[in-house]
Amino acid sequence: VINPGKKIVEAKEYRNFSGGGSRFQNNDTLFARITPCLENGKISQVRHLDGEVGFGSTEFLVFRGKQGITDTEFVYYFVTNHSFRLKAIQLMVGTSGRQRVDHKKLSDEVFTIPPLPIQRKIAEILGSLDDKIELNRRMNETLEQMAMALYKHWFVDFGPFQDGEFVESEIGLIPRVYECLSYKEIVDFCLGGDWGKDIPNSDENVGVNVIRGADFTVINSGSQFSLPVRYIKKSSFEKRKVKDMDIIIENSVNASSRTTGQSLLITRELLDFIGENTIPASFCKLFRLKRPNLSPIVYMHLKFLYESGDMEQYQNVSSNGIGNFQATQFLENQKIVLPVGDSCNQVLSSISDLLSQIAKNNKESFYLSITRDYLLPRLLSGEIEVREAEEHVEEVLANG
């Protein structure tokens, strides 16, 4: 699966090859050729193929360096540059909504590239930023696994309390230091999203960033993103804007693919770069807890429900295959086990620290990607000298 802003893509599955498809090898660049995937920046470099060769969709073009002329690493950065993508978009053909890049016309285009040694240096400079971004991503995978393991140990398996006293609850026996509550009992309010208006009205409306369900994955990966700006009534803004420790639920999902959506925990680190004036979009639900300090545990419980498939019972699937999250049903029926008093401060602090570090890594990756995308066109055009860019990147990486 190629995700916008993510350089590395790895094999999704392994099976015997039969039929057609694009053929590629390690370090090749896969370039989406169909709308809107190309416009959304679905371009990645293949790594870690078993057997060195893979096959995939015909909906992407495969780019590889030519010996003695182009460096394969440089090719990835060259085709991700805005000017190349814009040219590819201009060469799209076909009916509206299903247009594809005409690869024959694209191959006939003439582009100016620097000499091979400069190509390699550019790729090395930009690659050092992407290497750090990839390191952050893999570190976050480990941190997420650690957070989930901690959550399950304490709140699913009740490991620390196996020798303690258990009491009856609506979900069965639980440790006495826990209580079993419905989400209705812990959520201060559940608010639907808004999409606002295109045209501002300074007397009645205020401009806000709107965060959509589709943005969750991009934000959680540390990739660059741009939230649309809309205008909503000032009277509803204060209640709707996201705050530290809020949780946003994706409301509308593709039920046919058994995708049950996802949630997003709003942390102080995240607010630093999505902006204080942000609201959830339509097809999202905002949960604000009565005890905001428990948000990390509630967030992990939601992730657990998604992973186990239990969230699917709260999806009302329409005739077009779209499932809508039934918030009222969820709040009333879904139970969660939470600590009584200070009984779990230790693990709550540990989970909070892990989630905070994930957010910090994503924030760093976000700004590293901005640096990379600032340097890329200027290095290609010669506006910035290689040595100047190299020194700048060294300083950015040293400062973390």
Side-chain angles (χ1 to χ4, degrees):
V1 178
I2 298 178
N3 294 313
K6 183 181 175 183
K7 179 182 179 182
I8 305 302
V9 64
E10 300 181 6
K12 183 69 175 178
E13 59 181 290
Y14 293 91
R15 62 188 182 193
N16 292 329
F17 173 72
S18 61
S22 299
R23 184 180 185 276
F24 47 84
Q25 63 187 38
N26 278 323
N27 300 316
D28 284 352
T29 295
L30 306 184
F31 184 95
R33 63 187 289 255
I34 188 171
T35 190
C37 296
L38 173 54
E39 292 91 335
N40 292 339
K42 290 194 172 186
I43 307 169
S44 292
Q45 190 178 45
V46 181
R47 294 281 177 86
H48 309 128
L49 285 177
D50 185 17
E52 298 293 317
V53 177
F55 294 86
S57 169
T58 58
E59 298 296 3
F60 52 71
L61 303 176
V62 179
F63 291 94
R64 183 184 308 155
K66 190 170 185 178
Q67 188 173 5
I69 298 176
T70 48
D71 176 74
T72 293
E73 289 293 318
F74 170 82
V75 167
Y76 166 77
Y77 290 107
F78 185 78
V79 302
T80 59
N81 190 37
H82 176 72
S83 61
F84 184 91
R85 289 170 56 194
L86 182 60
K87 173 57 66 175
I89 291 170
Q90 292 171 346
L91 296 176
M92 280 184 161
V93 295
T95 58
S96 177
R98 300 298 294 175
Q99 291 186 312
R100 294 171 173 82
V101 176
D102 186 323
H103 68 279
K104 177 63 170 62
K105 290 183 179 179
L106 184 62
S107 65
D108 290 338
E109 290 290 323
V110 176
F111 298 94
T112 301
I113 59 173
L116 191 56
I118 301 299
Q119 292 178 35
R120 290 171 177 154
K121 199 62 183 176
I122 290 174
E124 180 184 342
I125 292 169
L126 300 178
S128 64
L129 294 169
D130 273 320
D131 287 345
K132 177 57 176 171
I133 292 172
E134 178 65 11
L135 179 63
N136 284 346
R137 186 188 69 80
R138 293 187 181 277
M139 187 185 305
N140 280 357
E141 286 183 351
T142 301
L143 294 172
E144 288 169 1
Q145 292 168 3
M146 291 170 62
M148 182 56 74
L150 270 175
Y151 174 78
K152 289 179 178 178
H153 182 59
W154 281 73
F155 298 98
V156 178
D157 302 328
F158 308 131
F161 308 101
Q162 288 301 311
D163 297 328
E165 183 180 358
F166 279 64
V167 296
E168 286 287 349
S169 77
E170 293 183 68
I171 62 169
L173 289 173
I174 62 173
R176 179 171 288 280
V177 296
Y178 289 158
E179 57 184 342
C180 179
L181 301 170
S182 69
Y183 266 75
K184 187 176 182 179
E185 293 174 283
I186 68 169
V187 172
D188 191 20
F189 65 82
C190 171
L191 191 67
D194 194 359
W195 185 237
K197 303 179 184 299
D198 286 320
I199 302 173
N201 183 322
S202 58
D203 293 329
E204 298 180 4
N205 297 341
V206 59
V208 296
N209 299 317
V210 180
I211 188 167
R212 304 151 295 186
D215 297 314
F216 292 4
T217 300
V218 179
I219 292 172
N220 281 331
S221 70
S223 301
Q224 280 192 66
F225 60 91
S226 178
L227 302 181
V229 176
R230 308 287 288 187
Y231 299 85
I232 67 170
K233 290 186 179 299
K234 293 178 181 178
S235 57
S236 67
F237 170 61
E238 280 302 319
K239 187 175 182 180
R240 290 186 179 277
K241 76 173 182 179
V242 297
K243 299 179 180 179
D244 189 19
M245 293 294 108
D246 283 350
I247 299 174
I248 305 177
I249 300 293
E250 187 177 9
N251 191 41
S252 181
V253 298
N254 183 353
S256 63
S257 64
R258 294 181 63 83
T259 301
T260 55
Q262 54 187 323
S263 58
L264 181 69
L265 174 65
I266 304 298
T267 62
R268 174 47 49 192
E269 293 85 0
L270 183 55
L271 284 174
D272 285 345
F273 63 107
I274 67 171
E276 298 281 349
N277 287 2
T278 300
I279 65 169
S282 303
F283 304 116
C284 287
K285 287 286 190 294
L286 185 146
F287 289 171
R288 184 162 297 154
L289 303 187
K290 294 176 181 178
R291 297 161 63 189
N293 66 304
L294 294 180
S295 286
I297 293 178
V298 176
Y299 174 68
M300 294 309 300
H301 181 246
L302 288 166
K303 288 179 70 71
F304 175 72
L305 292 177
Y306 288 135
E307 290 182 7
S308 64
D310 287 345
M311 287 294 280
E312 291 187 17
Q313 63 185 301
Y314 301 110
Q315 294 292 331
N316 182 17
V317 182
S318 61
S319 58
N320 61 4
I322 299 298
N324 289 308
F325 177 63
Q326 303 300 294
T328 301
Q329 180 187 355
F330 176 83
L331 291 173
E332 291 179 351
N333 298 334
Q334 183 59 53
K335 307 301 179 184
I336 181 172
V337 172
L338 291 172
V340 175
D342 300 329
S343 59
C344 293
N345 280 352
Q346 175 188 348
V347 70
L348 175 57
S349 176
S350 297
I351 291 175
S352 296
D353 289 346
L354 290 170
L355 296 180
S356 178
Q357 186 58 54
I358 289 171
K360 288 176 182 177
N361 288 343
N362 284 335
K363 181 181 177 181
E364 181 185 39
S365 294
F366 175 81
Y367 288 113
L368 288 173
S369 65
I370 288 177
T371 301
R372 178 200 61 208
D373 293 348
Y374 171 82
L375 291 174
L376 173 57
R378 290 163 177 81
L379 281 168
L380 292 179
S381 66
E383 180 182 340
I384 293 180
E385 296 290 336
V386 166
R387 183 57 192 163
E388 180 185 353
E390 191 173 38
E391 291 174 352
H392 179 65
V393 169
E394 288 175 355
E395 181 180 354
V396 168
L397 293 174
N399 293 332

